[in-house]
Each structure stands twice: as structure tokens, then as C-alpha cells.
Amino acid sequence: MNLIFCLYFRVQVREFQKQLKCLIITKRNINYVSRLFQPQNIAPKNSKVKVDEVSSKSQRLMVDLGIVKQATSGSFHLLPLGERALHKLTCLVDEEMERIGAQKLLLPLLTPGELWRKTGRWDETREELFTLQDRHNKEFVLSPTHEEAITELVATISKLSYRQLPLKLYQITSKFRDEMRPRFGLLRGKEFIMKDLYSFDATIEGATETYKIVSTAYESILNKIGIKHIRVVAAAGVMGGSLSHEFHFPANVGEAQIFTCSSCGHTVNIETSTGDRCDKCGSTSVTSTTGIEVGHTFLLGTKYSKPLNANYTTASGKSELLQMGSYGLGMTRLLAAAIEYLSLPDEIRWPLAFTPYTICIIPPKEGSKESSIIHLAEDMYHKLESVNKLKNNVIIDNRTDLTIGKRVYEARRTGYPYIVVIGRKAMQQVPLFEVYDVLKNHETSLEESPLIDYFTQLCSILKKGYE
């Protein structure tokens, strides 16, 4: 009997240890503000900051609030909150690329210089290129874009069939450009992250259709981000090709000048403008604005396939040159441009599509009258995390040595769009939780069940917007 009891007791102890271990792991996996690596740049009072050190609202906010930290001129560390935002944006882009049948790959950052010489871009863009030599004195380009690399890759595929076309291949990687004057933080730097897609078609008609499909996908991505954007006719420049468009967010710090015809809506940039008259309808009713370029598309034709000998095999067995397109989307620039467009002077505003965390829960201050209900924060955390789209999108500001007011202030500055406060009202017989909709500047108090319903409905609306 004693042996049976001992065995039973041992089993119960092991079960308790397992449950305790799960509890510890669960607690460890909760997102806490105190664990964030978010080094904030707090300028001393009466300090004098040079104008050229902080050249845009987005740069100042992202540096001050620990989203990025400058490494060198034109190069920035992307800190955890910034990386979370970038990851969400990447997922959004990946989903849209999957819809149009694009395939993701990864190309080397180093491209042989001989490829750039063959296409003529070595001399055309020499001043903006980062170049280097290996120990064998072979020249390489630290790629600002990958037309040469992707074309050379496709050219090495023997007997690429017309049945395999169109090919749409893309990547999201770091790019490099030797900017003469880096400024505006992530808006114009020497190193940046870009999504670049390259299309390969059998005919110019097919390439034009692919151009329309990818351009529509870019429109969809920007619509899901939820910021007004402008698509303009642009010059092909050194990229080459017969057709080109840019995508812009309107902004005061924008470096591009955009002209829009009030009569027909035709929009061009300054490089393709014909002055104060619309070249499409002849109207002189033209308005001007500035914008931040966040995307660019090119119908390249055979500019790269011809010098690099990229061909496909037709139905009759003949070898023909591939017709190409190139499509860029600035990922880190989109982060900064969105903050530039949406934010207040002292508070970041993220698009809901890629806010680092959607909800910040603020428990009572330790030692206050409400400190006995601090545990409600973690209870609410787990219930919100069970809502679709909110998994790993909730964070608790557990710095309970600070007042609720101080933490609400910092949550607003960091840009969390929803704040749930567990304060005095939560001590009632039926607890009420204060919900702040930061984007709408609206506050309400809800019981637990209506609060969960509130965020469930919100996530349902957001999901429909993304589909």
C-alpha cells in the first residue's frame, strides 16, 4: 500500500512540475515593455540640436523613440520595434506576391563588375556604385539593384521553354548606393532594404500584361497600408526601357515634384513634365505637389537580356530574347514614409498593417490602491492573444514603478494604436477596462466580454481590408 502511495505521489509531483514549467515558459513568453531593447534618445533640456542632424520628422521620431539608431552617415541599425514593423510589411508583400504567382529567391549582394560593364551601367552609374576587388583583383558591385544578376542567372538556364513563361522572381534584401548627401534617415541612405521583382516574358505584349499585373499588385499593397499614394508617369533613366511609373506618398520632405492635371487626372514627375501644360489633354490646369518615392516600375524590353544573352526556346524550337520588367518597392523607406505622413510632431503613428504591437496593456502602479488587481493584466493579455490576428501583437507595460499616466504617454509616443488601462474602474464589482483608440483619439470603458468582442470585430474588419 505504501509503495502504491509513493508511486502515486511521485506521479503527482511530476505532473505538478510539468504544469509549473509550462507556467514559467508561458510567463516568459509574454511580451513585456521592460524586456524591449528600445534605447531612447532623450535630449537634455535646453540642448541645442543642429538642423542638419535631424532633417525630417520621421528620422527624429524613429531615433528618439528607439525604432532605429544611426550607425554611420546614411546607415542605420534597425532595432526590435523597427524590425517587427518590417517583418509585418514583408509578410504583407509576400502575400500579395503569392497572389500573382511571383516566386521568392535570394541573390548575392555582390555582383561581378563585368556584368555591369556588359550592360553599360558601370560607366553610367559609376559615382553612385560601391565597388570593390577581391584578392584576385576581380571587380564587384555591392548591388543597388539586381537586373544584371537576375538576367545572368536566367541566361544560364539551358533551353528555358516558352511554357515556363512568364517568370516573376523577387527578393527582399539590402541594397547599397553611394549617396552624395544621405539625409532624412531611412528615406535616403547608403544602405536600405528593397523588394525587387524581375519578370521575364516571351513577347512585348506579354511583358506589358505582366507590367499591369505587378503594378496592380503594388497598388494593392499600398492600399492595404492605408496611406494615400500617387502613381505617376516617370522617366526610365539609366534603368532603361520603354515605360516607367513611380509610386509616391505626398509629404513636405518629399524630394520628387509631381504635376497633376485637374482636367484629366494625368500625373507625371518633373523629369517627364512639359511645363504648365498637360501633355495628354493640353489643359493648363496643372497643380504641383511633392512626394516621397516608395516604388518604381520599369518595362525593360531587351535592355538586359540582349547584352547578357538571356533567351528562351519558342514552340518551333527557335531561340528568342526574353522581354523583361523590373519592379522596386522600398521597404525601409515605406516604414519611414508612413511615419512621416501619419505622425504627430511628438508621437509616432503607424499604419495598422505594420504597427509593431497592436495593443499595449497598462496595469496599475505598484503600491497604489489598485495594485491588488495587477494580475488582471496577464489575464487580459492571454484572452486578447487568443483573438485572431492578435497573436504576438499584444504587449504589457509592466514597468509598475511608473504611474499609469506616464506609461500611457509613452505608449502614445511609441505609436501603439490601442491602449488598455487597468485602473480604478477595474476594481468595481464588474471590472471596467479603459480602452484608448489612439488613432481616433477616442476613449471608452468596457467590461471584459465586450472588450474582447471589440477587438475581435476590429481584427475581422482589418482582415477583410487585407483580402
Side-chain angles (χ1 to χ4, degrees):
M1 190 71 175
N2 288 338
L3 178 61
I4 294 174
F5 176 78
C6 288
L7 290 172
Y8 173 79
F9 180 75
R10 186 176 296 174
V11 169
Q12 294 301 310
V13 168
R14 286 178 178 173
E15 185 62 29
F16 174 75
Q17 289 174 335
K18 283 166 61 177
Q19 291 179 4
L20 182 61
K21 185 177 180 181
C22 289
L23 181 63
I24 292 171
I25 291 173
T26 301
K27 194 175 183 68
R28 190 180 297 149
N29 288 340
I30 292 177
N31 296 316
Y32 290 117
V33 169
S34 65
R35 292 177 182 163
L36 272 181
F37 181 62
Q38 188 186 1
Q40 299 193 22
N41 182 33
I42 302 173
K45 291 183 179 180
N46 303 320
S47 65
K48 294 181 180 180
V49 181
K50 295 180 181 179
V51 175
D52 59 351
E53 289 178 356
V54 182
S55 52
S56 69
K57 177 173 60 177
S58 58
Q59 179 183 0
R60 177 171 53 80
L61 288 172
M62 295 180 85
V63 170
D64 286 354
L65 295 170
I67 310 301
V68 301
K69 186 171 178 60
Q70 184 165 318
T72 60
S73 176
S75 179
F76 290 82
H77 302 288
L78 197 62
L79 304 181
L81 288 177
E83 198 283 331
R84 282 184 64 88
L86 178 64
H87 175 72
K88 288 187 175 184
L89 176 58
T90 298
C91 290
L92 191 160
V93 170
D94 285 342
E95 288 173 5
E96 200 61 39
M97 291 301 97
E98 187 176 348
R99 289 179 194 270
I100 64 170
Q103 301 176 68
K104 195 172 187 179
L105 45 62
L106 200 59
L107 300 169
L109 298 179
L110 290 174
T111 302
E114 63 183 277
L115 298 180
W116 281 68
R117 290 187 184 279
K118 285 182 180 180
T119 63
R121 290 210 296 173
W122 179 276
D123 295 323
E124 290 176 341
T125 59
R126 189 67 179 86
E127 290 184 353
E128 293 186 355
L129 294 180
F130 281 111
T131 60
L132 63 148
Q133 292 183 337
D134 68 7
R135 66 182 66 195
H136 305 295
N137 295 322
K138 288 185 178 180
E139 294 175 312
F140 290 88
V141 173
L142 202 52
S143 298
T145 182
H146 279 81
E147 282 76 15
E148 284 81 1
I150 193 73
T151 307
E152 194 268 343
L153 169 64
V154 173
T156 61
I157 301 173
S158 61
K159 295 183 179 180
L160 179 67
S161 171
Y162 70 96
R163 293 189 181 92
Q164 297 172 265
L165 305 177
L167 266 180
K168 294 185 281 288
L169 306 173
Y170 80 100
Q171 62 175 349
I172 298 176
T173 60
S174 293
K175 304 292 188 294
F176 303 87
R177 183 179 293 124
D178 192 3
E179 291 283 354
M180 180 181 294
R181 188 187 172 197
R183 56 178 179 161
F184 303 141
L186 296 183
L187 293 178
R188 182 162 292 281
K190 292 183 177 180
E191 181 178 355
F192 51 96
I193 297 175
M194 187 171 80
K195 176 259 173 190
D196 44 326
L197 183 149
Y198 306 94
S199 63
F200 300 86
D201 280 87
T203 65
I204 190 61
E205 292 79 15
T208 302
E209 182 60 29
T210 298
Y211 186 88
K212 292 177 182 177
I213 291 170
V214 179
S215 296
T216 300
Y218 274 26
E219 292 272 9
S220 179
I221 291 168
L222 297 177
N223 286 337
K224 288 175 181 178
I225 292 173
I227 295 177
K228 176 185 176 183
H229 64 275
I230 305 169
R231 182 174 182 251
V232 308
V233 176
V238 296
M239 289 286 289
S242 58
L243 185 63
S244 176
H245 290 86
E246 295 170 348
F247 296 86
H248 293 266
F249 286 168
N252 291 332
V253 299
E255 295 183 291
Q257 193 168 4
I258 303 165
F259 297 93
T260 303
C261 177
S262 303
S263 298
C264 69
H266 186 58
T267 307
V268 299
N269 68 9
I270 194 169
E271 294 173 340
T272 54
S273 171
T274 55
D276 59 357
R277 181 179 295 275
C278 175
D279 60 349
K280 189 172 183 179
C281 70
S283 172
T284 56
S285 180
V286 176
T287 59
S288 173
T289 187
T290 56
I292 300 170
E293 181 190 332
V294 294
H296 207 150
T297 59
F298 302 86
L299 186 59
L300 299 173
T302 60
K303 175 177 171 61
Y304 297 89
S305 57
K306 186 174 182 179
L308 297 176
N309 199 30
N311 304 291
Y312 74 98
T313 303
T314 67
S316 62
K318 186 179 177 181
S319 182
E320 295 282 355
L321 286 172
L322 287 159
Q323 300 286 337
M324 292 178 57
S326 174
Y327 314 84
L329 197 62
M331 302 295 281
T332 43
R333 182 178 285 194
L334 270 169
L335 298 186
I339 289 174
E340 190 71 40
Y341 182 87
L342 294 172
S343 297
L344 303 180
D346 295 313
E347 295 181 3
I348 287 181
R349 292 290 183 269
W350 298 94
L352 286 175
F354 53 79
T355 178
Y357 290 97
T358 304
I359 303 171
C360 180
I361 299 174
I362 299 181
K365 181 181 180 181
E366 190 69 53
S368 67
K369 294 179 181 179
E370 298 83 20
S371 60
S372 60
I373 56 170
I374 283 179
H375 66 281
L376 292 180
E378 292 186 4
D379 293 343
M380 180 61 68
Y381 177 93
H382 292 299
K383 286 168 183 172
L384 288 171
E385 282 262 307
S386 66
V387 175
N388 185 30
K389 288 271 182 194
L390 287 182
K391 180 66 177 175
N392 199 27
N393 274 309
V394 183
I395 191 167
I396 298 176
D397 191 339
N398 62 324
R399 299 172 301 163
T400 52
D401 57 316
L402 302 177
T403 65
I404 286 178
K406 172 66 173 174
R407 284 174 286 159
V408 168
Y409 170 76
E410 291 198 7
R412 290 180 62 95
R413 294 233 317 144
T414 303
Y416 301 126
Y418 296 95
I419 303 170
V420 175
V421 172
I422 301 173
R424 177 176 50 82
K425 294 180 181 179
M427 294 192 71
Q428 299 173 181
Q429 187 172 4
V430 179
L432 285 175
F433 302 90
E434 299 162 52
V435 180
Y436 294 80
D437 183 333
V438 176
L439 300 179
K440 294 181 179 178
N441 198 26
H442 176 71
E443 176 188 349
T444 187
S445 297
L446 297 172
E447 296 176 15
E448 181 183 290
S449 183
L451 184 149
I452 301 299
D453 289 342
Y454 173 84
F455 284 110
T456 301
Q457 292 173 14
L458 172 70
C459 290
S460 178
I461 293 170
L462 290 177
K463 184 179 179 182
K464 288 180 181 178
Y466 297 152
E467 292 175 347

